[in-house]
Amino acid sequence: MEGGAGLYNPRTVEEVFRDFKGRRAAIVKALTSDVGEFYQQCDPEKENLCLYGLPNEQWEVNLPAEEVPPELPEPALGINFARDGLSEKEWLSLVAIHSDTWLLSVSFYFGSRFAFDKADRKRLFDMINGVPTIFEVVTGNMKKQTKEKSSSANRNGNLSKSDSKVRSSDGKTLKAMQANTEEDGSEEEDDEEDEHGETLCGACGDGDGTGTDDFWICCDVCEVWFHGKCVKITPARAEHIKQYKCPACSNKRARP
């Protein structure tokens, strides 16, 4: 499997984490917005197949690597065989769990290969642990965690956000969020930010500090926040949506 191996060898904690985020974003895409195509590619009649997330945020379903041992740890083998024996939700959850395990193994493979010391390994784990798992995104189990972070961010002046709500005639509410670029140098507020963390996008895993004036939107089903650009929703389009469902919630209906 040529694409399963990294296109480069990240050597620092930051580079390994960037590699992790790229692969994670790819798999999240496969299991949410691209789930129809992913489902079709996992034909149980085919040989053992694996889901690969690549550092460039692209995913592919392919046969495992032929070389033994492989250049990188391999993802779960034969995900296609379980497709028709489970409900779609159960199957996607299973793939998500194995994908989370694979991402950790790849990251710490690089850590071992390039001799990360105890401090670097802990820093890498803390960075990874600050991002929702694929399982949490796919199943919506990050709801409670995200709500707690949103509440903390609202109390934190250094991460203040304004919530704009567009109400329709039937009373339904669409929540959109616009990042506020005002900064406060207060040490007390900086301490609060360190304690509570920042709101993370359910798609890319990035937080509030990734850019200025970012448009955010909240799923009305799982209540997870997303960058508008990550779910292809613009502020103008959001004004006309009565109830927004994220890609994961939109694809939760079991296939007949």
Side-chain angles (χ1 to χ4, degrees):
M1 165 54 203
E2 297 178 358
L7 301 180
Y8 62 96
N9 287 324
R11 295 173 179 269
T12 67
V13 172
E14 289 73 19
E15 288 175 344
V16 172
F17 183 58
R18 191 180 309 120
D19 179 272
F20 168 87
K21 288 178 66 177
R23 295 178 189 275
R24 174 191 173 278
I27 296 176
V28 167
K29 187 189 303 182
L31 302 183
T32 57
S33 59
D34 293 351
V35 69
E37 181 182 353
F38 172 66
Y39 188 93
Q40 293 298 324
Q41 289 192 27
C42 292
D43 186 349
E45 298 299 321
K46 295 183 179 179
E47 296 183 52
N48 291 307
L49 295 176
C50 301
L51 171 60
Y52 292 91
L54 308 182
N56 62 359
E57 301 188 8
Q58 299 300 311
W59 62 271
E60 57 183 34
V61 173
N62 213 324
L63 297 172
E66 295 182 359
E67 64 266 29
V68 178
E71 181 179 351
L72 289 177
E74 284 288 295
L77 180 67
I79 57 172
N80 51 316
F81 295 149
R83 192 194 74 176
D84 293 346
L86 301 170
S87 69
E88 181 179 332
K89 181 178 180 180
E90 291 174 332
W91 178 64
L92 292 175
S93 297
L94 180 65
V95 175
I97 291 171
H98 283 292
S99 297
D100 283 321
T101 305
W102 176 65
L103 289 177
L104 283 171
S105 68
V106 171
S107 294
F108 282 89
Y109 162 83
F110 286 127
S112 296
R113 179 175 179 180
F114 297 111
F116 286 6
D117 60 19
K118 180 178 179 180
D120 283 342
R121 293 194 303 271
K122 183 179 185 302
R123 187 155 65 95
L124 175 61
F125 177 79
D126 288 343
M127 293 170 75
I128 291 174
N129 201 39
V131 179
T133 64
I134 297 173
F135 177 78
E136 289 173 330
V137 174
V138 170
T139 62
N141 286 354
M142 61 182 285
K143 173 181 177 180
K144 180 178 179 181
Q145 171 186 335
T146 306
K147 287 176 68 176
E148 289 174 351
K149 290 188 175 182
S150 297
S151 298
S152 299
N154 287 335
R155 290 194 301 268
N156 185 349
N158 201 34
L159 268 179
S160 62
K161 293 181 181 292
S162 60
D163 289 340
S164 59
K165 296 184 178 181
V166 181
R167 294 186 179 276
S168 62
S169 58
D170 59 359
K172 293 181 180 178
T173 301
L174 170 73
K175 293 170 284 184
M177 181 166 64
Q178 202 72 24
N180 189 325
T181 58
E182 295 180 359
E183 295 183 355
D184 190 321
S186 166
E187 292 183 2
E188 180 179 352
E189 291 180 348
D190 287 342
D191 291 340
E192 287 184 10
E193 181 177 352
D194 292 339
E195 178 182 354
H196 297 299
E198 60 181 356
T199 303
L200 301 176
C201 172
C204 70
D206 282 333
D208 308 292
T210 56
T212 59
D213 202 30
D214 284 337
F215 171 73
W216 291 67
I217 189 168
C218 182
C219 175
D220 286 307
V221 178
C222 65
E223 298 186 9
V224 173
W225 289 97
F226 297 87
H227 290 120
K229 62 184 179 182
C230 291
V231 290
K232 300 179 181 179
I233 299 292
T234 63
R237 183 180 174 188
E239 293 289 334
H240 301 286
I241 300 177
K242 293 182 179 180
Q243 183 184 53
Y244 174 68
K245 289 185 180 181
C246 68
C249 291
S250 296
N251 288 297
K252 278 184 178 178
R253 291 188 307 170
R255 294 177 181 272

